């Protein structure tokens, strides 16, 4: 998983070097992505948005309030 300063997040197949999926994160700029230990939930955060939990297929699971950065 990667995040971009335009607010998008994406999943990549690293072995093939191809993007699998990309969605807007809901942030003005996305700054961080991290998987849970089992690899089935992705957390994202960034400027001007919420912390968002995503499924491994980038379906939005939950939004959590975040402070202003």
């Amino acid at each position: 998983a990667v995040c971009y300063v335009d607010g998008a997040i994406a999943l990549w197949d690293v072995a093939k070097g191809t993007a699998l999926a990309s969605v807007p994160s809901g942030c003005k700029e996305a700054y961080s992505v991290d998987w849970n230990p089992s690899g089935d939930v992705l957390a994202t955060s960034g400027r001007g948005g919420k912390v968002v939990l995503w499924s491994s297929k980038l379906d939005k699971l939950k939004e959590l309030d975040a402070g202003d950065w």
Side-chain angles (χ1 to χ4, degrees):
V2 297
C3 58
Y4 300 100
V5 294
D6 69 356
I9 58 170
L11 299 178
W12 282 78
D13 180 326
V14 193
K16 294 179 182 176
T18 57
L20 302 173
S22 179
V23 296
S25 69
C27 297
K28 293 177 183 173
E29 296 177 11
Y31 291 144
S32 63
V33 294
D34 197 11
W35 292 99
N36 72 334
S38 61
D40 60 345
V41 176
L42 177 69
T44 63
S45 64
R47 185 176 68 84
K50 298 181 181 240
V51 174
V52 181
L53 303 179
W54 306 86
S55 74
S56 59
K57 299 198 186 291
L58 293 184
D59 296 316
K60 194 179 292 187
L61 301 173
K62 186 168 183 114
E63 290 184 335
L64 306 166
D65 288 331
D68 292 331
W69 306 2

